[in-house]
Amino acid sequence: MDPVIVVGAGPVGLTLALALARHSVPTVVLDEGPGKDEQRPARTVVLRDDTAALMERLVGHSFGDRDSGARWGGWRSLRRKQVMRELTFSDEMPAPLHVPQHVLTGALRAAIADERLVKIATESKLDSLEQDAGGLTAHTRGPKDTWWRGSYLVGCDGPRSTVRKLLDIRFPGRTAVERHAVAALRTELPGPGEALLHRAPPWRHGGAEVTGRPLADGVWRIDWLLPPRGDLVTPDALVVRIRETLAGWCGGSTPPYELLDTGVHTVHHRLARRWRAGRAFLAGDAAHLLGALGTQGLDEGLRDADNLAWKLALAWHHGARDALLDSYQAERRAGVAARLRAADQSLPILRGGGGLRSYVPGSARGHDMLLADGHVGRGPLGAPASYADSPLAPAPLESEVAVETEPGSPVADVPVTAPDGSLVRLRDRLGTGQLLVVLVAPGTVVWERRHWVTAGIMPRLAAAVSALPHQAELLVAESYPGAPAHSVLLVRPDGHLVTALGGVRPAELYTAAEAAVGGAEPKRRASRADTTEKAESTASAGRPTTQ
């Protein structure tokens, strides 16, 4: 069968190609550039704990050392001179990973260099695309004009996506929602390893809001929120901002610093009307643009790749299932649209000086909490999307039990015992295309696997797992948040919970697994697929423009 064609060699395209290779699917990555990435220390990405785990699983090593990135120790929110909120990260509230984008891309390229199923074609710019019943044909121009044949194609080619334009898909939304001046510098600040959000800082050029995020090796990224229609930020004006901000945070005197990189980041909010057109798909910035209030567009793009990879792999190996492939748009577009609406509805309140703020008691503290949650990956502005309304969600099951993870949400990363008896993390078992079945069995950790694998309910559960309509791996957990003993959790290949059952229920487990891989009609509730087509990402804030 022909390979999957991935257009674009940024982090999302490379992640998708590597994820497909882990599912034994060959890919061709069309890179219009020379195959190298510019080093920009001020261009960074904040990853939530589950997307950070995805990247570490794909590249084969962890981030967060002296050179590659930083996991924050805590978070502080300040207003003028007052500390409004402090958070300390822990196992219960994992720290985000903050890493330069070129470091992330470099790690992906290094992993792909050892991957025989991924071919990167540099200096290959897509200029035409044709679909037929058996696949797609794409043409690229460069040093050598080339025709490429593929089974599917995914456009990960950024905001000005050629794939989106060739598919004639509209990209409505808002331009220049916010502007930020950005600097990356090496210095020593109070609270090393702690990110901070400072609103209305009490110095002359502080502006409305300043955010400081630590990176590795004593480097910080600092962002200043700019007026919507302010003057251009000159180098001299930026140096004044840097010196005043460092002095304000360090008791009045500017500490020594080394300026590494600067820039101006403009936030746009856009959402493609469709994310699938036959055998072609959109992902990352080609499908959506977002980035205000701590929401990270690349984090969402990596979720796109994780969601689509296992579905394309199933279609590539076993034949297309329209319900499964359609679920990519239904799940991911709905999740991104919800976050865009939340941001667009919050912005007038959070950035305005009057209106609702003047009448709601305690609103300043509430606004700071909303902003902080968005930055650290919680609440409506930051939490990962849930796929509870997915077309892949099963009908209500008699033996369903409630656990702390809602159906459709990412599972908690608990220790589990693998089939070979080794103790691993649950997320370490993702990414192979298998469903995961997790039995919550307190007490098993004190026994060798050979003593409990043939005892109690295990033989019956193992037989039920082997009879599922899709390959699945049986794992055992000592505990899971909110789960009663002998609960059985069914987890999708991308780490989202399908359902939790009370005990071994082979028929119900089979039904849920069949729905999860697109083999059954959706019965849980109406899908958002129709409603999200009608819902504009901009909600009621501003006048949308089209591209």
Side-chain angles (χ1 to χ4, degrees), residues 121-125 127 139-148:
T122 58
E123 298 183 327
S124 299
K125 182 172 177 57
D127 63 4
H139 181 265
T140 58
R141 52 186 172 81
K144 293 183 179 180
D145 288 6
T146 308
W147 290 96
W148 304 89

Side-chain angles (χ1 to χ4, degrees), residues 48-74:
R48 285 30 170 182
D49 62 308
D50 58 330
T51 42
L54 165 67
M55 300 313 297
E56 292 175 345
R57 189 168 65 246
L58 288 176
V59 304
H61 64 77
S62 63
F63 294 91
D65 59 21
R66 184 179 184 274
D67 299 316
S68 64
R71 292 187 185 274
W72 302 336

Side-chain angles (χ1 to χ4, degrees), residues 137-177:
T137 303
H139 181 265
T140 58
R141 52 186 172 81
K144 293 183 179 180
D145 288 6
T146 308
W147 290 96
W148 304 89
R149 183 66 180 172
S151 54
Y152 297 94
L153 181 143
V154 186
C156 306
D157 49 343
R160 297 179 175 85
S161 171
T162 300
V163 174
R164 190 183 63 241
K165 293 171 183 175
L166 290 173
L167 296 174
D168 195 25
I169 296 175
R170 293 180 60 216
F171 198 38
R174 294 203 297 151
T175 300
V177 176

Side-chain angles (χ1 to χ4, degrees), residues 91 123 197 294 335 364 436 480 511:
D91 290 342
E123 298 183 327
L197 170 69
L436 301 181
Y480 187 89
T511 298

Side-chain angles (χ1 to χ4, degrees), residues 251-272:
S253 60
T254 303
Y257 69 90
E258 178 187 1
L259 185 58
L260 305 175
D261 191 20
T262 62
V264 174
H265 172 55
T266 303
V267 175
H268 308 290
H269 281 179
R270 293 185 178 275
L271 186 66

Side-chain angles (χ1 to χ4, degrees), residues 45-53 55 63 71 95-99 104 296 298-300 302-303 376:
V45 57
V46 177
L47 302 180
R48 285 30 170 182
D49 62 308
D50 58 330
T51 42
M55 300 313 297
F63 294 91
R71 292 187 185 274
L97 171 67
H98 189 200
V99 59
L104 191 65
Q296 301 298 323
L298 181 52
D299 186 82
E300 291 290 354
L302 299 178
R303 294 182 193 279
V376 302

